[in-house]
Amino acid sequence: MAISHCFFVFLLISSFVSLGFAEIRFTEIRSDDRSIIPFDEFGFTHTGRLELNVSQIALSNPKSDLDLTKVGFFLCTRDSCMHVLQQLQDRETTCALKSDVVKLVSSFKSLNGKSSLNIVYEENDADQYTLVFANCLSQVKVSMNVRSAMYNLDGKNNRQDYLSAGKTILPRVYFLLSLVYFTLAGIWIYVLYKKRLTVFRIHFFMLAVVILKAFNLVCEAEDKSYIKRTGSAHGWDVLFYIFSFLKGIMLFTLIVLIGTGWSFLKPYLQDKEKKVLMIVIPLQFVANIAQVVIDETGPFGQDWITWRQVFLLVDVVCCCAVLFPIVWSIKNLREAARTDGKAAVNLMKLTLFRQYYIVVICYIYFTRVVVYALETITSYKYLWTSVVAGELATLAFYVFTGYKFKPEAHNPYFVIDDEEEEAAAEQLKLEDEFEL
Ligand SMILES: *[C@@H]1O[C@H](CO)[C@@H](O)[C@H](O)[C@H]1NC(C)=O
């Protein structure tokens, strides 16, 4: 069952594309003859600004009779970008820069022989725009250093807000969520203290995961709030990546450990279970490197697509790998229930592990598939809703895991009377027939 689930996730994920956070970006273009080079995407409010500083501009064919109005920067919304592509295809226009559906920022005509361009462009129509460079001269290669900064001016004191319109409340969202996780960690410590006689090692592991998640969110809030105010992250992104990395590894390890029943059902790991961990941990390392490259290059960087695919592939492999130990546990418990006398005990564990399997699958589907779907269909103004949806699903998963696998003073597995035992054996038989 695990494999078919995995394949489905992969198909769905590979059809969506996510957006990076726009901020101040530096791009070097060297001898590039692409006719269209997209740079960055940003959601403007009614007080949007684009600051564009281009330096060391050099054309490979610096003849004086080149038509420089055919080289330059423009902004287009999603719809108008599609429209221009259609126009180019239908040969209604030969140059995207000349199309009447795009907003011309500046053409190289205004260089007047200089090699740099500095402009502030005001955009007062709220929408999500892509900054695009167009070069409609054939056989002319362009080299330049581009610094692009897109921001909105914030109401009262005209402060610059470098977060896209739909993401500007994210720092607050992350901060609130981190408080929730710190509270959860507090509650968990209280539970561990109360039930200290029945605490397993895995419960401390769970505590570590919750605390890491809380710190991860603090760093993300701080990171985004620095970007919001200054357009760059000031090192908080490094801390954020470190915590993400630790949290990613710990969370997947935790799912595997719980799935195998480690420290609940048995104090050791089998060889094949160890192998799963040995696959998941290095892959998480790769996934995190991919995440860093994706975030830092922006949606139109040259390696972006490749790293995006690496990330998706690795993520899907990890998600699938963690399902196998749960499936093995379920199988073992079924067999044990049939052979040894304690059908009821095993059946309860079986139900628990089945629930856990379903919840892990829901968690993976939701945080990967539903969140990407939301991101693609929601308007740019409400992009934060997909982040909130994903975080709430994660929170629900943490709470479920903590609740179902909490330390129990009276372990329900071992206090079962004969009547229940018989009923359980009966149910197991029925189930077997049903499955056949
Ligand atoms: C970019 O150009 C704008 C407009 O001339 C100017 O105000 C700003 O200082 C420039 N920024 C940099 C980093 O050169």
Side-chain angles (χ1 to χ4, degrees):
M1 48 184 160
I3 291 180
S4 60
H5 284 144
C6 298
F7 189 62
F8 181 64
V9 175
F10 184 71
L11 278 188
L12 275 171
I13 288 181
S14 47
S15 53
F16 299 115
V17 167
S18 148
L19 309 166
F21 278 93
E23 53 211 75
I24 298 178
R25 227 182 261 291
F26 298 92
T27 318
E28 284 190 8
I29 305 281
R30 291 286 167 267
S31 297
D32 203 319
D33 62 356
R34 279 180 289 171
S35 59
I36 295 273
I37 306 176
F39 276 89
D40 229 332
E41 212 171 19
F42 193 78
F44 284 119
T45 63
H46 293 289
T47 52
R49 296 281 186 283
L50 160 66
E51 214 176 282
L52 194 60
N53 306 82
V54 193
S55 57
Q56 296 180 24
I57 301 174
L59 302 179
S60 66
N61 183 357
K63 270 187 292 179
S64 54
D65 59 346
L66 286 177
D67 182 6
L68 287 181
T69 58
K70 286 185 168 178
V71 189
F73 291 88
F74 67 86
L75 287 173
C76 58
T77 63
R78 289 220 166 149
D79 288 342
S80 65
C81 285
M82 298 302 272
H83 195 149
V84 171
L85 288 180
Q86 192 61 46
Q87 283 182 334
L88 287 174
Q89 223 165 37
D90 299 345
R91 306 207 174 281
E92 275 176 45
T93 173
T94 52
C95 187
L97 220 49
K98 305 270 171 157
S99 167
D100 48 4
V101 293
V102 305
K103 304 203 171 190
L104 179 69
V105 175
S106 174
S107 79
F108 279 8
K109 185 81 186 160
S110 58
L111 282 178
N112 291 328
K114 292 196 304 279
S115 70
S116 65
L117 186 70
N118 293 299
I119 31 177
V120 177
Y121 178 86
E122 291 187 20
E123 181 53 72
N124 298 322
D125 293 332
D127 207 331
Q128 167 139 313
Y129 289 90
T130 306
L131 174 65
V132 183
F133 175 75
N135 171 10
C136 306
L137 300 173
S138 54
Q139 291 162 356
V140 171
K141 291 181 182 158
V142 179
S143 299
M144 59 187 171
N145 295 342
V146 182
R147 171 190 179 274
S148 65
M150 293 192 260
Y151 53 86
N152 295 308
L153 292 180
D154 225 4
K156 281 152 269 162
N157 23 23
N158 273 357
R159 197 139 20 98
Q160 292 159 356
D161 179 349
Y162 287 90
L163 284 183
S164 188
K167 292 176 171 173
T168 181
I169 68 162
L170 280 185
R172 246 174 289 167
V173 169
Y174 286 128
F175 184 70
L176 283 180
L177 281 166
S178 76
L179 290 185
V180 172
Y181 279 94
F182 278 122
T183 313
L184 279 186
I187 295 174
W188 194 244
I189 291 173
Y190 176 74
V191 169
L192 293 191
Y193 177 74
K194 274 289 209 191
K195 309 267 176 76
R196 56 192 172 280
L197 295 178
T198 46
V199 164
F200 293 111
R201 271 179 293 170
I202 191 114
H203 293 125
F204 292 106
F205 204 94
M206 290 172 167
L207 178 63
V209 172
V210 173
I211 291 178
L212 277 178
K213 174 75 184 169
F215 276 113
N216 190 29
L217 283 167
V218 170
C219 292
E220 186 149 27
E222 206 51 39
D223 177 31
K224 293 292 174 274
S225 100
Y226 260 98
I227 292 178
K228 182 181 160 89
R229 279 177 280 148
T230 65
S232 64
H234 290 268
W236 280 96
D237 50 343
V238 178
L239 263 185
F240 164 70
Y241 290 129
I242 292 173
F243 276 112
S244 288
F245 174 59
L246 292 177
K247 186 213 72 188
I249 285 187
M250 296 279 273
L251 180 62
F252 277 103
T253 309
L254 180 68
I255 296 177
V256 171
L257 289 181
I258 291 182
T260 57
W262 177 77
S263 97
F264 282 107
L265 305 179
K266 55 183 193 226
Y268 55 87
L269 286 180
Q270 285 170 341
D271 265 353
K272 58 179 177 182
E273 293 163 351
K274 279 187 198 147
K275 273 189 199 124
V276 171
L277 280 182
M278 277 167 3
I279 293 173
V280 168
I281 292 175
L283 282 185
Q284 274 299 302
F285 191 71
V286 177
N288 277 276
I289 293 177
Q291 187 66 59
V292 174
V293 179
I294 291 168
D295 285 358
E296 299 301 311
T297 53
F300 302 109
Q302 292 200 321
D303 304 327
W304 194 82
I305 305 265
T306 325
W307 281 100
R308 182 88 205 153
Q309 281 164 347
V310 168
F311 177 76
L312 288 178
L313 186 68
V314 167
D315 195 40
V316 169
V317 171
C318 284
C319 289
C320 297
V322 300
L323 293 180
F324 283 99
I326 313 178
V327 175
W328 294 330
S329 289
I330 291 176
K331 221 173 107 205
N332 288 342
L333 285 170
R334 287 180 66 83
E335 270 156 25
R338 227 168 289 142
T339 51
D340 75 11
K342 297 195 219 101
V345 175
N346 282 311
L347 200 67
M348 288 192 72
K349 292 183 199 162
L350 194 58
T351 317
L352 181 62
F353 275 83
R354 278 200 188 137
Q355 279 177 356
Y356 189 60
Y357 179 74
I358 295 190
V359 168
V360 170
I361 290 203
C362 291
Y363 166 69
I364 291 173
Y365 274 180
F366 200 90
T367 50
R368 272 64 182 176
V369 179
V370 178
V371 169
Y372 284 117
L374 270 178
E375 214 169 271
T376 357
I377 59 172
T378 46
S379 152
Y380 75 98
K381 275 183 271 182
Y382 305 108
L383 269 182
W384 56 272
T385 52
S386 62
V387 176
V388 170
E391 290 294 341
L392 287 182
T394 309
L395 182 63
F397 177 70
Y398 278 62
V399 170
F400 173 88
T401 309
Y403 182 74
K404 282 292 181 181
F405 294 92
K406 64 181 182 294
E408 298 271 18
H410 302 286
N411 199 325
Y413 307 146
F414 302 112
V415 280
I416 285 167
D417 58 26
D418 287 347
E419 232 168 80
E420 281 181 54
E421 183 75 27
E422 269 167 38
E426 200 59 30
Q427 192 187 336
L428 203 62
K429 225 181 281 167
L430 274 178
E431 244 180 66
D432 278 351
E433 280 163 21
F434 184 71
E435 212 144 278
L436 280 175

